[in-house]
């Protein structure tokens, strides 16, 4: 089955700096890679996603890159703000019948003022 | 309108009891999931249902039994609760049928289960 690793487990940055979180996956059949942000005590919510036919996607201060050959994908947050502080999860899934989202272990991002 | 709703939000119960958590989605999705998030924040899939049929059943004790009366509901029943069952349980849904690519999963607000 799919296995997703995520690094780092914790990340502290100064406000205004960039943050990068990296994930690797094991199943070459996976073709959908969402990123979720979970604020304290709340549900995970999608912030950006990328499909295997795209190498990069950007949405304002957030971008995601995908390297299918190396089987890794990364989340980039620029000009970080205190409200970016949360736990971020990457996930991988394939479009088979009854897909299975496999999540990485999460990265706790702290943006220091 | 809440897209994926779970009840109850908090559940405190004694060891050995049987309890249920309900989940409903009004998004018209055909796939529903239960995830367990432990104290270390790991999100682990427990079950996946597609069109009311069990698709994924990860290594979960058989004390946990999902029930899907229709595509919009996936309830989780837990028998003989143990201390180690304490966690936050998230229900989620997505739509797969006819899709070329997977789509995002929408999560419920979570149920914090505490077994004492």
């Amino acid at each position: 089955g799919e296995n997703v690793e995520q690094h780092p487990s914790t990340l502290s940055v100064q406000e205004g700096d960039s943050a990068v979180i990296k994930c690797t996956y094991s199943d070459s059949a996976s073709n959908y890679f969402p990123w979720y942000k979970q604020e304290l005590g709340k549900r995970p919510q999608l912030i950006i996603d990328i499909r295997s036919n795209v190498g990069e996607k950007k949405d304002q201060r957030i971008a995601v890159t995908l390297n299918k050959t190396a089987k890794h994908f990364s989340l980039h947050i620029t000009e970080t703000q205190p409200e970016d502080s949360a736990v971020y999860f990457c996930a991988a899934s394939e479009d088979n019948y009854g897909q299975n989202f496999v999540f990485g272990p999460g990265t706790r991002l702290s943006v220091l003022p | 309108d809440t897209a994926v709703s779970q009840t109850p939000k908090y559940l405190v119960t004694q060891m050995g009891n049987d309890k249920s958590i309900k989940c409903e989605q009004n998004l018209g999705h055909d796939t529903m999931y239960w995830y367990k998030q432990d104290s270390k924040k790991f999100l682990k899939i427990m079950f996946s249902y597609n069109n009311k049929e069990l698709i994924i059943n990860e290594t979960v004790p058989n004390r946990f039994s999902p029930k899907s009366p229709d595509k919009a509901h996936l309830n989780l029943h837990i028998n003989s609760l143990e201390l180690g069952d304490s966690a936050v349980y998230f229900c989620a849904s997505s739509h797969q049928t006819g899709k070329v690519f997977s789509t995002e999963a929408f999560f419920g607000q979570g149920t914090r289960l505490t077994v004492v």
Side-chain angles (χ1 to χ4, degrees), chain A residues 50-94:
Chain A
I50 192 167
R51 306 188 192 286
S52 59
N53 61 346
V54 175
E56 184 174 357
K57 184 176 179 181
K58 189 174 182 181
D59 182 4
Q60 299 182 337
R61 296 186 296 108
I62 296 173
V64 58
T65 58
L66 170 65
N67 183 327
K68 283 176 57 180
T69 303
K71 288 192 276 197
H72 66 69
F73 55 112
S74 300
L75 177 71
H76 305 252
I77 307 174
T78 59
E79 300 172 24
T80 53
Q81 301 167 3
E83 52 265 37
D84 295 331
S85 296
V87 178
Y88 290 81
F89 293 94
C90 62
S93 75
E94 56 176 314

Side-chain angles (χ1 to χ4, degrees), chain A residues 3 31-34 36 38 40-47 49-54 87 89 91 93-106 108, chain B residues 2-5 9 31 33 35 37 40-45 48-51 53 55-56 58 90 94 96 99-110 112:
Chain A
N3 181 52
N31 61 14
Y32 176 62
F33 307 93
Y36 285 81
Q38 186 178 25
L40 188 63
K42 297 190 176 180
R43 75 188 80 190
Q45 291 196 293
L46 181 80
I47 54 171
D49 56 12
I50 192 167
R51 306 188 192 286
S52 59
N53 61 346
V54 175
V87 178
F89 293 94
S93 75
E94 56 176 314
D95 58 359
N96 63 336
Y97 174 67
Q99 65 163 26
N100 177 11
F101 283 92
V102 177
F103 285 85
R108 185 176 299 279
Chain B
T2 304
V4 182
S5 61
K9 189 173 181 180
T31 306
Y33 316 79
Y35 283 87
Q37 188 171 44
K40 294 182 179 179
K41 302 301 183 186
F42 293 137
L43 268 171
K44 292 287 189 184
I45 191 165
S48 169
Y49 268 73
N50 179 276
N51 286 313
E53 294 200 12
I55 301 303
I56 292 169
E58 292 293 317
F90 283 100
S94 68
Q96 304 313 125
K99 296 289 185 180
V100 175
F101 285 98
S102 307
T103 60
E104 67 173 290
F106 289 81
F107 283 81
Q109 77 273 28
R112 182 174 294 278

Side-chain angles (χ1 to χ4, degrees), chain B residues 20-94:
Chain B
S20 293
I21 306 172
K22 296 185 177 181
C23 179
E24 176 181 7
Q25 54 93 5
N26 63 4
L27 297 167
H29 288 168
D30 59 5
T31 306
M32 295 185 72
Y33 316 79
W34 276 107
Y35 283 87
K36 178 180 180 181
Q37 188 171 44
D38 61 23
S39 58
K40 294 182 179 179
K41 302 301 183 186
F42 293 137
L43 268 171
K44 292 287 189 184
I45 191 165
M46 301 173 68
F47 302 101
S48 169
Y49 268 73
N50 179 276
N51 286 313
K52 292 173 53 182
E53 294 200 12
L54 180 64
I55 301 303
I56 292 169
N57 181 354
E58 292 293 317
T59 306
V60 176
N62 57 14
R63 298 181 294 104
F64 290 79
S65 54
K67 296 279 192 304
S68 182
D70 54 57
K71 287 196 315 182
H73 296 83
L74 182 63
N75 303 322
L76 184 65
H77 190 75
I78 315 170
N79 288 327
S80 303
L81 279 156
E82 300 177 356
L83 293 177
D85 297 332
S86 296
V88 179
Y89 292 84
F90 283 100
C91 175
S93 73
S94 68

